[in-house]
Amino acid sequence: MSDIDDLKSKYLKQISDASDEASIEAVRLAAVGKKGEVALKMRELGKMTPEERQVAGPALNALKDEINSALNARKASLADAALEERLKTEWLDVTQPSRPRAEGSIHPISQVTEELTAIFADLGFAVAEGPQIENDFYNFDALNIPPEHPARQEHDTFFMHRAERDNRPPHVLRTHTSPVQIRYMEEHGAPCRIIAPGRVYRSDYDQTHTPMFHQVEGLAIDKDISMANLKWVLEEFFAAFFEIDGIKTRFRASHFPFTEPSAEVDIQCSWEGGKLVIGEGDGWLEVLGSGMVHPKVLLSANVDPNEWQGFAFGMGIDRIAMLKYGIPDLRAFFDSDLRWLRHYGFAALDVPTIATGLSR
Ligand code: DAH
């Protein structure tokens, strides 16, 4: 009996000395493993007299149970200690102030592009894109502007050199977003409803012109789209964009090679004491060009003009950004003046959506 007590005190001591999982496992194998000391003792039961066995059997079982529960308890307390240790090192003071406001801000052009994308998305328009380095065909010919057309001169186009070398028509920096109409219809056919915001380039520089600026193209093609749909879409857009109910638009007959009929669109405004106010009064401000897509344009994008028709428009993003946020000089957009950017910039996390509001 006394060797059972010896085993017990020996292993309980080893268990309480064990300082990690591996040493606990070593003790377990030595004590109650298949070839451990307790198992060996159990094998000796067979050699005992029935009387001896009656005493030794239960005693060995009790020893085995006791060692097992000591092992489990030690394992649990080591795990607790490890967790405690981790909690101490991974400590975080949630009452500390958050980081100071980020230095950067969203440029008004990016903000306005997000705003108009949110509004047109709400009206069911997808966003399409095209390359800024365009070829003659997409920038001009496909839009019904043949080589001798005066509109080519009006565009103050930047031409790329490469073509002269290749003896092919030169690539150009796109002068407007209208080529995206062609690219989109070529790829997706009709019906379609898209806007195409992006950079455009013209060789021009003064208070109202910069060599790079931004346009958004609109295109809606279906079986029965009319100028009335165009007017409704634009009025919805301007009301949402300027956050004014019932803003009026005026359509003036105009001419663009890629639309027939064509209209320039003005929005209602007033000049109160030299201050421009959008959406009231009896003044008018031109904001975009538009019209019904010319059948030749549909044809060059492989869309059958006998089956499909629709409207298109092109609007200067910089222009409507200046109007909405009271920015007097276009050139400021591109000066990278940090003080200006801080003044007009928008917080990075204020993403414009119809649900949360466009601008704050
Ligand atoms: N592409 C024209 C420009 O840059 C703007 C424009 C006018 C686009 C009428 C259109 C349109 O889609 O229908 O001056």
Side-chain angles (χ1 to χ4, degrees):
M1 248 6 245
S2 76
D3 37 342
I4 289 191
D5 289 338
D6 289 350
L7 281 181
K8 178 171 155 183
S9 57
K10 171 172 146 192
Y11 284 116
L12 290 186
K13 167 130 187 14
Q14 286 188 12
I15 290 169
S16 76
D17 287 348
S19 58
D20 56 31
E21 282 238 6
S23 42
I24 290 187
E25 182 60 10
V27 178
R28 190 187 70 77
L29 287 173
V32 294
K34 265 196 193 131
K35 290 178 185 160
E37 261 190 293
V38 176
L40 293 179
K41 280 261 173 261
M42 286 191 163
R43 258 178 244 162
E44 286 171 15
L45 290 174
K47 294 180 214 147
M48 293 180 187
T49 64
E51 293 76 24
E52 285 172 329
R53 204 180 299 142
Q54 247 174 16
V55 181
L60 278 172
N61 274 330
L63 173 64
K64 195 175 161 190
D65 289 347
E66 194 166 351
I67 290 178
N68 272 327
S69 63
L71 284 166
N72 288 338
R74 182 72 187 137
K75 238 191 231 172
S77 85
L78 281 177
D80 281 352
L83 180 63
E84 236 3 85
E85 196 54 36
R86 237 184 95 191
L87 288 175
K88 257 187 236 156
T89 55
E90 294 178 8
W91 178 87
L92 175 75
D93 182 357
V94 293
T95 65
Q96 281 205 332
S98 60
R99 272 185 229 167
R101 189 175 181 277
E103 282 278 306
S105 61
I106 302 294
H107 192 282
I109 297 294
S110 305
Q111 168 77 17
V112 165
T113 305
E114 292 292 328
E115 290 178 19
L116 63 86
T117 301
I119 299 167
F120 280 111
D122 195 46
L123 294 170
F125 286 74
V127 173
E129 287 185 310
Q132 294 174 40
I133 297 175
E134 251 314 352
N135 64 42
D136 235 37
F137 173 76
Y138 289 105
N139 199 77
F140 295 120
D141 299 77
L143 290 161
N144 194 29
I145 313 176
E148 69 286 357
H149 198 285
R152 288 210 179 199
Q153 270 68 59
E154 284 161 26
H155 276 215
D156 302 308
T157 312
F158 284 112
F159 293 95
M160 317 283 283
H161 266 311
R162 200 183 90 180
E164 286 166 24
R165 209 177 51 216
D166 295 354
N167 204 15
R168 278 192 280 142
H171 279 74
V172 299
L173 291 179
R174 70 176 179 193
T175 58
H176 49 178
T177 43
S178 303
V180 184
Q181 290 186 28
I182 309 295
R183 288 185 175 273
Y184 190 88
M185 286 190 287
E186 256 183 4
E187 194 176 336
H188 302 275
C192 68
R193 215 186 299 172
I194 54 145
I195 57 162
R199 292 188 174 143
V200 299
Y201 303 84
R202 291 185 200 180
S203 178
D204 209 349
Y205 188 67
D206 60 36
Q207 192 174 348
T208 52
H209 298 91
T210 49
M212 188 278 286
F213 58 107
H214 303 82
Q215 287 188 335
V216 57
E217 196 77 12
L219 177 71
I221 303 291
D222 212 322
K223 303 264 174 185
D224 54 3
I225 298 234
S226 73
M227 292 286 268
N229 300 120
L230 170 65
K231 189 169 168 84
W232 181 84
V233 164
L234 291 177
E235 287 184 350
E236 285 292 305
F237 168 73
F238 287 119
F241 181 73
F242 289 109
E243 297 166 270
I244 299 166
D245 274 345
I247 189 169
K248 288 205 185 89
T249 60
R250 183 174 74 171
F251 280 51
R252 272 178 299 105
S254 181
H255 176 264
F256 299 103
F258 29 88
T259 44
E260 179 57 37
S262 304
E264 281 175 308
V265 178
D266 306 336
I267 53 172
Q268 184 190 7
C269 70
S270 73
W271 299 91
E272 272 168 18
K275 192 171 168 275
L276 175 67
V277 183
I278 306 286
E280 58 181 59
D282 45 17
W284 296 101
L285 201 67
E286 186 196 324
V287 279
L288 61 89
S290 65
M292 297 300 290
V293 178
H294 198 292
K296 282 191 180 169
V297 171
L298 295 175
L299 271 179
S300 48
N302 303 320
V303 169
D304 182 358
N306 294 317
E307 207 181 329
W308 304 99
Q309 64 182 39
F311 65 73
F313 61 85
M315 178 161 56
I317 294 180
D318 318 74
R319 182 85 197 281
I320 59 168
M322 290 167 78
L323 293 175
K324 179 163 178 178
Y325 293 110
I327 297 166
D329 189 332
L330 176 71
R331 290 171 294 195
F333 282 131
F334 310 109
D335 282 345
S336 305
D337 178 337
L338 282 178
R339 288 161 309 168
W340 184 90
L341 284 168
R342 265 181 219 122
H343 179 71
Y344 285 106
F346 294 84
L349 294 176
D350 287 348
V351 180
T353 68
I354 296 293
T356 60
L358 294 176
S359 55
R360 270 162 272 183

